[in-house]
Amino acid sequence: MDFSKFSDDDFDLKDWINTALQSQIDTNQSKEQYVGTLVTKLQVLIQEINNSIDETSHQTIQNFPRVLREIDVLKQETFMLKEQMKSVRDDLLKVEKNTVSDSMKLLLELDIVRTNLLNVQVALQEADNWSNLTSDLDSILASKDLKTISNHIESMQNSLELLQDDSMDFTNRCALLEDFKNKFETMISTDIVSCFNSKSLSLSKNYVQIFSQINRLDNLKKYYYQCEVARNSAKIVELEAYHENSFKESQVLFNLEEENTKDLIEKSHNLMTFISSWLDYLITTWHNEIQWCKQLFNDYHSIVINILKKSSEDFNKIYQTYLGNMLNSCKDHSILLNYLAKYKEETDRFVQTLHTSCENMSLLSQSILNDLLFKLFKQFYSPYKSIFKQYSSIINKNLQKELEKNIKLNSFEVIECVQLLDGSVNKIFSLLESEMQRCLKLTNGCCFYMMIDAFKMFLKFYVDEFKRVVSNLKERRVENTTKDDEDWDSFRHFVKIIQIVGQLIIRYEDLEESLQRNLLNNFVHKTRHGSVTTPTTQQAFNFDHQALLTNQNLQSIVSFKEYFLEDNDRLKLNGLIAAVESGDDYSMMKDLLKPLFSLSELVHKFSFEIVYAPIKKILKNLSKSSIWQANNTGLMNKETIPLFAMAPQEYITKIGQYLLTLPQNFEPFTMHDSNNLLIALRKGKLPYLDEKDLSDDITACWLDSIANATYTNLSDEILKIGKLEVNSQRQLIIDIEYINSVFDDVGLKDYSNLSSIIELLKVNEQEFDEMSGNKPVRIVSAIRKMRDF
């Protein structure tokens, strides 16, 4: 039985009882008997503990007097020690008082003198040692024993450290040591270059040890750097020699003539092979040199990165020359853009491979290496930076070339011409969409605002061409038909063109939406998380290099803006992003709205002239018509004809009948693509129709336009009529009342001028002034003259 548990701090009675009961060994003994045994044992234990406590208490009581006596003795001894310490203190104060006050100062000065004497002794010994070390430097150098020479230099360095002071002798000694190092380095420089070129690891390690010993390890790194750069330059020359047929200086690299397109493609392909071979070589160099260099130098990553950077500078001089030649002489910019995308794809592949390798080595977490890699990547993308400065011009030329080459707009046949215009819309906007996707891939979206400028120039050019074709169609109609006759075939063609213009406006709006969506997806959604305040100052648009280093993402869209764009271009791009992100219905191509709306207005004007031509012909010179002249017999000077016997004249009935037939003539042309027609109408303008009068019924809008034109021009012609006789006056009233009823039938709401003319024609001279009080002055004056009042 374990009784030690009773002394535990966390003793639990229930656990102890359960454990004791479970430890029963004799199975023949009942639980009651076992518990009784346990109780007996516990009682015995308690008795033993009580006895032990009694004995301990008794011994303690007996020892108390002795302990008290010992405490008293300890107190007396403590008091005596205190008195002795006080006496010693007083003695020390007395000695200090009776001693000379500057004695300690004198001792310190003596110690300084002793120290200086020791230093002088060491200096004299080292001066003697320096003299010995420099006594025969030429013979030591002539021995060509690298170990001996390096040890000797190390001894000279150690001696010089002990002799360090501000005297001229020390300067001369330093110069002597550096001169000896230079001679030694010059002596072995050829062997060092040979060693690095042969990639002898053992010899290289030996040189690392030697140059570390003489404190010139940086010079050894420069030898290695120069050897590798020279090796890479030789590789560039080798690659150029391999592709010499395409890169001869005496030959124009890229010829723009159509017959040489095949040659152009071949040379472009050779340049891509040249780039691919070079970048593959650099990737191999990166992996090999990292493995080799890390066995020699601690900062091997930065050394290899700088080697790649210098080599890329040499390559870029050649590459930029080729690209510039290609850009300046290439007329087919689609080939230029296609191959430029392939070249950039190769560069992306190289940068991605290098970036992944650096990630695996955990280099991106080191700010210094991260900065070196950023400069390296920027160097590799620098040839594209100069090309992308002209991106807007390149895209515009390519689009115009595609338009001239593949998108025909004009034809001698009117129907075919309309079909070409119809088909051109989808082709144009498909072309723009493909250019937008190319921009996102080729420039990582960084030239987005330049692309938009190109789109605006191109679409303006396209709209101008569209206008030119429509104007040609109008002139052709004038030449081939009688100008003032009904020509519903031509109207049908122009209604189709209006539908095309409506489709053009819809596609333009879709393009705006697509531009905004792609811009935000490419820049905002990729680079921002959560709510971010849009920058509004130039400083906020500037590239934050520290933020880049913090993010450690050298392939972020922010980094590519730095790789591809100048500060001013980056500012413009960020300004565009901020404007679009603000959500204030910003239009990226608002300059196109006016040409588009002008085109719609022009087509509506031409269409209107076709429909209105018969009425215009009737109304032409109506005021000078003979129907208003007096009869020579003089019988017309009086009311010789009853009013009920008069009927509207032929000219006015023709106009009325024509107006009444317009709805059925309009219906076939406005049944299809009414949405396009309505959009074109709202963005353009029908003559004689205000925007407030527009409705969703195209036929009603056209009727209102023609009726308003008829009403306006008829009113003007009536007011030009000279003096009227009574019967002519009554006839004019009949004509106007007829046409007013027609206007009611076609839904014209306002023909107040004609109503005013009727009222002034009906009243006699005495009532004329009273009736003319609220009438327009122009109408009153014309009617007064007409009636000779």
Side-chain angles (χ1 to χ4, degrees), residues 759-775:
E759 292 175 4
L760 293 176
L761 287 174
K762 286 184 177 181
V763 299
N764 56 38
E765 187 173 359
Q766 290 75 22
E767 298 172 342
F768 188 86
D769 289 337
E770 181 182 352
M771 180 62 70
S772 62
N774 59 348
K775 300 294 187 291

Side-chain angles (χ1 to χ4, degrees), residues 546-647:
Q546 291 301 321
L548 174 66
L549 295 181
T550 302
N551 292 335
Q552 302 173 357
N553 188 354
L554 300 181
Q555 292 190 299
S556 68
I557 198 65
V558 179
S559 300
F560 277 108
K561 284 196 285 186
E562 181 76 2
Y563 298 152
F564 292 146
L565 301 178
E566 301 289 351
D567 290 345
N568 188 51
D569 293 328
R570 194 165 63 250
L571 176 63
K572 291 179 181 178
L573 175 62
N574 287 332
L576 175 66
I577 296 169
V580 173
E581 193 187 5
S582 65
D584 296 333
D585 295 329
Y586 177 77
S587 174
M588 289 187 277
M589 298 194 296
K590 62 181 179 182
D591 296 342
L592 276 176
L593 294 175
K594 186 175 180 180
L596 282 172
F597 296 170
S598 174
L599 172 63
S600 180
E601 184 176 346
L602 179 69
V603 179
H604 277 93
K605 179 175 176 291
F606 290 167
S607 304
F608 170 84
E609 289 174 355
I610 294 172
V611 179
Y612 187 67
I615 297 177
K616 184 178 180 181
K617 178 182 179 181
I618 295 171
L619 294 178
K620 186 177 181 181
N621 297 324
L622 176 65
S623 59
K624 299 177 182 179
S625 176
S626 60
I627 61 177
W628 311 119
Q629 303 301 320
N631 194 319
N632 293 331
T633 62
L635 296 177
M636 298 298 293
N637 295 334
K638 298 181 180 180
E639 296 181 2
T640 56
I641 302 176
L643 188 60
F644 63 84
M646 288 186 173

